[in-house]
Amino acid sequence: MLTDSLQDGKAERDFPMQGETPVTLTINGQSQTVSIEPRVTLLDVLRERLGLTGTKKGCDHGQCGACTVLIDGDRIYSCLSLAIMQEGRSITTIEGLAKGEQLHPVQAAFIENDGFQCGYCTPGQICASVALLEEVNRGCASALTADLTNPPQLANLSETEIKERLSGNLCRCSAYNGIVASVQQAAGQTPPSPAATILLQEVAG
């Protein structure tokens, strides 16, 4: 009986309700059409309508970065973006980064460098890190780039630059050392070992 009710409800949602309009979104390479009110955020469509719950709802005010996804390769806070604005654009969520069983290099680096603890912020951190690497490849500067005519390359991207470029993504568990090391590894650098990082922190303290 419950299953029948759920199926009936799903069938009803295939048709627009009053005030709704059909919106076709390209998400992780697949076209998805949903009927939504114009004020519905991309985050809510991903989680509540399409079941893509990898993208997390944290603050819901664009302050924590847990909901970060990629739109045409650029990172955005999906909690601040209206879904209806994304028609015709390519949306990539954490679910779309891996190729089958093969993890994206940033995903693999996060695992190898303990770039998370509770994991709630991790999808947003990973999406932001993927965008960060692409931004550096395009020659984008940050607020800390000393010479705007000579932006950093992946090979010499400093820890300070990485932290600045990821400052819009917060980790309540404070797994920042692992996050930075993960970006360094994905950038082709050799990240410091966890033991060396701890020793440096003790010396600095």
Side-chain angles (χ1 to χ4, degrees), residues 42-43 46 54-58 62-71 74-79 91-95 97 120-131 166 168-170:
L42 177 59
L43 174 60
L46 292 173
T55 304
K56 303 304 182 188
K57 179 177 285 194
Q63 296 177 345
C64 72
C67 68
T68 303
V69 299
L70 305 178
I71 304 291
D74 296 323
R75 46 180 152 167
I76 68 154
Y77 294 150
S78 59
C79 75
I91 303 166
T92 303
T93 69
I94 188 69
E95 291 91 347
L97 291 179
Y120 196 84
C121 74
T122 306
Q125 298 278 3
I126 289 176
C127 286
S129 297
V130 170
L166 288 179
N169 290 74
L170 306 182

Short mmCIF file of all heavy atoms in Angstrom, two decimals, residues 42-43 46 54-58 62-71 74-79 91-95 97 120-131 166 168-170:
data_model
loop_
_atom_site.label_atom_id
_atom_site.label_comp_id
_atom_site.label_asym_id
_atom_site.label_seq_id
_atom_site.Cartn_x
_atom_site.Cartn_y
_atom_site.Cartn_z
N LEU A 42 19.08 25.24 -6.73
CA LEU A 42 19.69 24.07 -7.35
C LEU A 42 19.97 23.00 -6.31
O LEU A 42 19.78 21.80 -6.56
CB LEU A 42 20.99 24.48 -8.05
CG LEU A 42 21.80 23.35 -8.69
CD1 LEU A 42 20.98 22.62 -9.74
CD2 LEU A 42 23.08 23.91 -9.28
N LEU A 43 20.38 23.41 -5.12
CA LEU A 43 20.66 22.45 -4.05
C LEU A 43 19.44 21.60 -3.73
O LEU A 43 19.52 20.38 -3.62
CB LEU A 43 21.13 23.19 -2.79
CG LEU A 43 21.33 22.34 -1.54
CD1 LEU A 43 22.37 21.26 -1.76
CD2 LEU A 43 21.71 23.23 -0.35
N LEU A 46 18.68 19.13 -6.53
CA LEU A 46 19.62 18.00 -6.53
C LEU A 46 19.27 16.99 -5.45
O LEU A 46 19.20 15.78 -5.70
CB LEU A 46 21.05 18.51 -6.32
CG LEU A 46 21.66 19.33 -7.46
CD1 LEU A 46 23.00 19.90 -7.03
CD2 LEU A 46 21.81 18.50 -8.72
N GLY A 54 24.80 13.62 -2.44
CA GLY A 54 26.21 13.86 -2.15
C GLY A 54 26.48 15.33 -1.87
O GLY A 54 27.31 15.68 -1.04
N THR A 55 25.77 16.21 -2.57
CA THR A 55 25.86 17.64 -2.32
C THR A 55 25.14 17.94 -1.01
O THR A 55 23.95 17.65 -0.88
CB THR A 55 25.24 18.44 -3.47
OG1 THR A 55 25.88 18.05 -4.69
CG2 THR A 55 25.43 19.93 -3.27
N LYS A 56 25.84 18.54 -0.05
CA LYS A 56 25.30 18.68 1.30
C LYS A 56 24.69 20.07 1.54
O LYS A 56 25.15 21.07 0.99
CB LYS A 56 26.39 18.43 2.35
CG LYS A 56 27.06 17.08 2.22
CD LYS A 56 26.06 15.95 2.28
CE LYS A 56 26.73 14.59 2.21
NZ LYS A 56 25.76 13.49 2.07
N LYS A 57 23.68 20.08 2.37
CA LYS A 57 23.10 21.34 2.84
C LYS A 57 23.66 21.62 4.22
O LYS A 57 23.38 20.92 5.18
CB LYS A 57 21.57 21.27 2.89
CG LYS A 57 20.93 22.56 3.40
CD LYS A 57 19.41 22.50 3.38
CE LYS A 57 18.87 22.65 1.98
NZ LYS A 57 17.39 22.93 1.97
N GLY A 58 24.48 22.66 4.30
CA GLY A 58 25.08 23.02 5.58
C GLY A 58 24.39 24.23 6.16
O GLY A 58 23.37 24.14 6.83
N GLY A 62 25.20 30.20 1.91
CA GLY A 62 26.40 30.50 1.14
C GLY A 62 27.61 30.85 1.98
O GLY A 62 28.49 31.58 1.52
N GLN A 63 27.69 30.29 3.18
CA GLN A 63 28.79 30.65 4.07
C GLN A 63 29.74 29.49 4.38
O GLN A 63 30.84 29.72 4.86
CB GLN A 63 28.23 31.19 5.39
CG GLN A 63 27.44 32.48 5.23
CD GLN A 63 26.83 32.96 6.53
OE1 GLN A 63 26.73 32.21 7.50
NE2 GLN A 63 26.40 34.20 6.55
N CYS A 64 29.31 28.24 4.11
CA CYS A 64 30.16 27.11 4.52
C CYS A 64 30.77 26.35 3.36
O CYS A 64 31.80 25.69 3.52
CB CYS A 64 29.37 26.16 5.41
SG CYS A 64 28.11 25.18 4.52
N GLY A 65 30.15 26.38 2.19
CA GLY A 65 30.71 25.71 1.03
C GLY A 65 30.37 24.24 0.89
O GLY A 65 30.81 23.58 -0.06
N ALA A 66 29.60 23.67 1.82
CA ALA A 66 29.28 22.25 1.76
C ALA A 66 28.49 21.89 0.51
O ALA A 66 28.50 20.74 0.07
CB ALA A 66 28.50 21.82 3.00
N CYS A 67 27.79 22.86 -0.07
CA CYS A 67 26.92 22.60 -1.23
C CYS A 67 27.60 22.91 -2.56
O CYS A 67 26.95 22.96 -3.60
CB CYS A 67 25.65 23.44 -1.11
SG CYS A 67 25.96 25.22 -1.29
N THR A 68 28.92 23.09 -2.55
CA THR A 68 29.64 23.47 -3.77
C THR A 68 29.49 22.43 -4.87
O THR A 68 29.70 21.23 -4.65
CB THR A 68 31.13 23.68 -3.47
OG1 THR A 68 31.29 24.67 -2.45
CG2 THR A 68 31.88 24.13 -4.73
N VAL A 69 29.12 22.89 -6.05
CA VAL A 69 29.10 22.05 -7.26
C VAL A 69 29.79 22.83 -8.37
O VAL A 69 30.16 23.99 -8.19
CB VAL A 69 27.66 21.67 -7.67
CG1 VAL A 69 26.97 20.87 -6.58
CG2 VAL A 69 26.85 22.91 -8.04
N LEU A 70 29.95 22.19 -9.51
CA LEU A 70 30.60 22.83 -10.66
C LEU A 70 29.57 23.13 -11.74
O LEU A 70 28.77 22.26 -12.10
CB LEU A 70 31.69 21.92 -11.23
CG LEU A 70 32.76 21.44 -10.23
CD1 LEU A 70 33.74 20.51 -10.92
CD2 LEU A 70 33.47 22.62 -9.60
N ILE A 71 29.58 24.36 -12.22
CA ILE A 71 28.73 24.77 -13.33
C ILE A 71 29.64 25.21 -14.47
O ILE A 71 30.38 26.18 -14.35
CB ILE A 71 27.80 25.95 -12.95
CG1 ILE A 71 26.94 25.58 -11.73
CG2 ILE A 71 26.93 26.33 -14.14
CD1 ILE A 71 25.90 24.53 -11.98
N ASP A 74 33.09 25.87 -13.32
CA ASP A 74 33.31 26.85 -12.26
C ASP A 74 32.56 26.44 -10.99
O ASP A 74 31.46 25.89 -11.07
CB ASP A 74 32.83 28.24 -12.70
CG ASP A 74 33.63 28.78 -13.87
OD1 ASP A 74 34.85 28.53 -13.91
OD2 ASP A 74 33.04 29.43 -14.75
N ARG A 75 33.11 26.72 -9.84
CA ARG A 75 32.47 26.34 -8.58
C ARG A 75 31.43 27.38 -8.16
O ARG A 75 31.65 28.58 -8.30
CB ARG A 75 33.50 26.17 -7.48
CG ARG A 75 34.52 27.30 -7.39
CD ARG A 75 35.50 27.05 -6.28
NE ARG A 75 36.80 27.67 -6.53
CZ ARG A 75 37.74 27.81 -5.62
NH1 ARG A 75 37.52 27.40 -4.39
NH2 ARG A 75 38.90 28.35 -5.91
N ILE A 76 30.32 26.90 -7.66
CA ILE A 76 29.29 27.78 -7.15
C ILE A 76 28.69 27.16 -5.89
O ILE A 76 28.81 25.95 -5.66
CB ILE A 76 28.15 28.02 -8.16
CG1 ILE A 76 27.35 26.73 -8.39
CG2 ILE A 76 28.66 28.57 -9.48
CD1 ILE A 76 25.94 26.97 -8.84
N TYR A 77 28.04 28.00 -5.08
CA TYR A 77 27.27 27.50 -3.96
C TYR A 77 25.87 27.18 -4.49
O TYR A 77 25.13 28.09 -4.88
CB TYR A 77 27.16 28.54 -2.85
CG TYR A 77 28.47 28.89 -2.17
CD1 TYR A 77 28.67 30.15 -1.65
CD2 TYR A 77 29.49 27.95 -2.05
CE1 TYR A 77 29.85 30.49 -1.00
CE2 TYR A 77 30.68 28.28 -1.42
CZ TYR A 77 30.86 29.54 -0.91
OH TYR A 77 32.03 29.86 -0.27
N SER A 78 25.50 25.92 -4.51
CA SER A 78 24.21 25.56 -5.08
C SER A 78 23.05 26.02 -4.21
O SER A 78 21.91 26.10 -4.69
CB SER A 78 24.12 24.05 -5.31
OG SER A 78 24.31 23.32 -4.12
N CYS A 79 23.31 26.36 -2.95
CA CYS A 79 22.23 26.85 -2.09
C CYS A 79 21.84 28.29 -2.44
O CYS A 79 20.76 28.76 -2.06
CB CYS A 79 22.61 26.76 -0.61
SG CYS A 79 23.80 28.01 -0.06
N ILE A 91 26.19 20.86 -15.30
CA ILE A 91 26.31 20.79 -13.84
C ILE A 91 27.04 19.50 -13.47
O ILE A 91 26.68 18.42 -13.94
CB ILE A 91 24.92 20.81 -13.19
CG1 ILE A 91 24.14 22.06 -13.61
CG2 ILE A 91 25.03 20.71 -11.68
CD1 ILE A 91 22.66 21.98 -13.28
N THR A 92 28.05 19.62 -12.64
CA THR A 92 28.76 18.44 -12.15
C THR A 92 28.71 18.43 -10.64
O THR A 92 29.11 19.39 -9.98
CB THR A 92 30.23 18.42 -12.61
OG1 THR A 92 30.29 18.50 -14.03
CG2 THR A 92 30.93 17.15 -12.14
N THR A 93 28.20 17.34 -10.09
CA THR A 93 28.17 17.16 -8.64
C THR A 93 29.25 16.15 -8.25
O THR A 93 29.92 15.57 -9.11
CB THR A 93 26.80 16.66 -8.17
OG1 THR A 93 26.63 15.30 -8.62
CG2 THR A 93 25.68 17.52 -8.74
N ILE A 94 29.39 15.92 -6.96
CA ILE A 94 30.40 14.97 -6.49
C ILE A 94 30.18 13.59 -7.11
O ILE A 94 31.13 12.86 -7.37
CB ILE A 94 30.37 14.89 -4.94
CG1 ILE A 94 31.55 14.07 -4.41
CG2 ILE A 94 29.03 14.37 -4.43
CD1 ILE A 94 32.89 14.71 -4.60
N GLU A 95 28.92 13.24 -7.39
CA GLU A 95 28.62 11.94 -7.98
C GLU A 95 29.15 11.81 -9.41
O GLU A 95 29.30 10.69 -9.92
CB GLU A 95 27.11 11.68 -7.99
CG GLU A 95 26.49 11.48 -6.62
CD GLU A 95 25.98 12.77 -6.00
OE1 GLU A 95 26.33 13.86 -6.52
OE2 GLU A 95 25.24 12.69 -5.02
N LEU A 97 32.10 13.06 -10.66
CA LEU A 97 33.55 13.23 -10.84
C LEU A 97 34.26 11.94 -11.22
O LEU A 97 35.17 11.94 -12.04
CB LEU A 97 34.18 13.81 -9.57
CG LEU A 97 33.81 15.26 -9.24
CD1 LEU A 97 34.49 15.69 -7.95
CD2 LEU A 97 34.22 16.20 -10.38
N TYR A 120 31.28 15.45 6.15
CA TYR A 120 30.11 16.22 5.70
C TYR A 120 30.50 17.30 4.70
O TYR A 120 29.79 17.52 3.72
CB TYR A 120 29.38 16.84 6.90
CG TYR A 120 27.99 17.29 6.55
CD1 TYR A 120 26.92 16.40 6.56
CD2 TYR A 120 27.73 18.60 6.17
CE1 TYR A 120 25.64 16.79 6.21
CE2 TYR A 120 26.46 19.01 5.82
CZ TYR A 120 25.41 18.11 5.85
OH TYR A 120 24.15 18.50 5.50
N CYS A 121 31.60 17.96 4.93
CA CYS A 121 32.01 19.04 4.03
C CYS A 121 32.77 18.53 2.82
O CYS A 121 33.04 19.28 1.88
CB CYS A 121 32.88 20.06 4.77
SG CYS A 121 34.57 19.48 5.12
N THR A 122 33.14 17.24 2.83
CA THR A 122 34.07 16.70 1.84
C THR A 122 33.60 16.85 0.39
O THR A 122 34.41 17.23 -0.47
CB THR A 122 34.39 15.23 2.15
OG1 THR A 122 34.85 15.14 3.51
CG2 THR A 122 35.47 14.69 1.22
N PRO A 123 32.34 16.56 0.05
CA PRO A 123 31.93 16.74 -1.35
C PRO A 123 32.17 18.17 -1.85
O PRO A 123 32.66 18.37 -2.97
CB PRO A 123 30.45 16.39 -1.34
CG PRO A 123 30.30 15.44 -0.19
CD PRO A 123 31.25 15.95 0.85
N GLY A 124 31.84 19.14 -1.02
CA GLY A 124 32.07 20.53 -1.41
C GLY A 124 33.55 20.86 -1.49
O GLY A 124 33.99 21.58 -2.40
N GLN A 125 34.33 20.33 -0.55
CA GLN A 125 35.78 20.56 -0.56
C GLN A 125 36.39 19.98 -1.83
O GLN A 125 37.26 20.60 -2.47
CB GLN A 125 36.43 19.91 0.67
CG GLN A 125 36.00 20.46 2.01
CD GLN A 125 36.72 21.73 2.43
OE1 GLN A 125 37.54 22.27 1.66
NE2 GLN A 125 36.43 22.20 3.62
N ILE A 126 35.96 18.78 -2.21
CA ILE A 126 36.51 18.14 -3.39
C ILE A 126 36.13 18.90 -4.66
O ILE A 126 36.98 19.16 -5.53
CB ILE A 126 36.05 16.66 -3.47
CG1 ILE A 126 36.75 15.85 -2.37
CG2 ILE A 126 36.34 16.07 -4.85
CD1 ILE A 126 36.29 14.41 -2.28
N CYS A 127 34.86 19.28 -4.79
CA CYS A 127 34.44 20.05 -5.97
C CYS A 127 35.20 21.37 -6.06
O CYS A 127 35.63 21.78 -7.15
CB CYS A 127 32.94 20.29 -5.93
SG CYS A 127 31.93 18.83 -6.32
N ALA A 128 35.37 22.03 -4.92
CA ALA A 128 36.12 23.29 -4.91
C ALA A 128 37.57 23.08 -5.29
O ALA A 128 38.18 23.89 -5.99
CB ALA A 128 36.01 23.95 -3.53
N SER A 129 38.15 21.96 -4.85
CA SER A 129 39.55 21.66 -5.16
C SER A 129 39.73 21.35 -6.64
O SER A 129 40.72 21.76 -7.26
CB SER A 129 40.04 20.48 -4.32
OG SER A 129 40.00 20.79 -2.94
N VAL A 130 38.77 20.64 -7.23
CA VAL A 130 38.82 20.38 -8.67
C VAL A 130 38.80 21.70 -9.43
O VAL A 130 39.58 21.91 -10.38
CB VAL A 130 37.64 19.48 -9.09
CG1 VAL A 130 37.54 19.40 -10.61
CG2 VAL A 130 37.79 18.09 -8.49
N ALA A 131 37.92 22.61 -9.02
CA ALA A 131 37.84 23.91 -9.68
C ALA A 131 39.12 24.72 -9.46
O ALA A 131 39.59 25.41 -10.36
CB ALA A 131 36.63 24.68 -9.16
N LEU A 166 40.77 28.09 -1.08
CA LEU A 166 39.74 27.22 -0.51
C LEU A 166 39.08 27.85 0.72
O LEU A 166 38.35 27.16 1.45
CB LEU A 166 40.34 25.86 -0.11
CG LEU A 166 40.70 24.92 -1.26
CD1 LEU A 166 41.30 23.63 -0.70
CD2 LEU A 166 39.49 24.60 -2.13
N GLY A 168 36.61 29.64 1.09
CA GLY A 168 35.15 29.65 1.09
C GLY A 168 34.53 28.33 1.47
O GLY A 168 33.31 28.20 1.50
N ASN A 169 35.36 27.34 1.76
CA ASN A 169 34.88 26.01 2.17
C ASN A 169 35.39 25.70 3.57
O ASN A 169 36.60 25.59 3.79
CB ASN A 169 35.35 24.94 1.19
CG ASN A 169 34.67 25.03 -0.15
OD1 ASN A 169 34.96 25.92 -0.95
ND2 ASN A 169 33.73 24.14 -0.39
N LEU A 170 34.47 25.58 4.50
CA LEU A 170 34.83 25.39 5.91
C LEU A 170 34.75 23.91 6.30
O LEU A 170 33.90 23.17 5.80
CB LEU A 170 33.90 26.21 6.80
CG LEU A 170 33.81 27.71 6.49
CD1 LEU A 170 32.88 28.39 7.49
CD2 LEU A 170 35.19 28.35 6.50
#
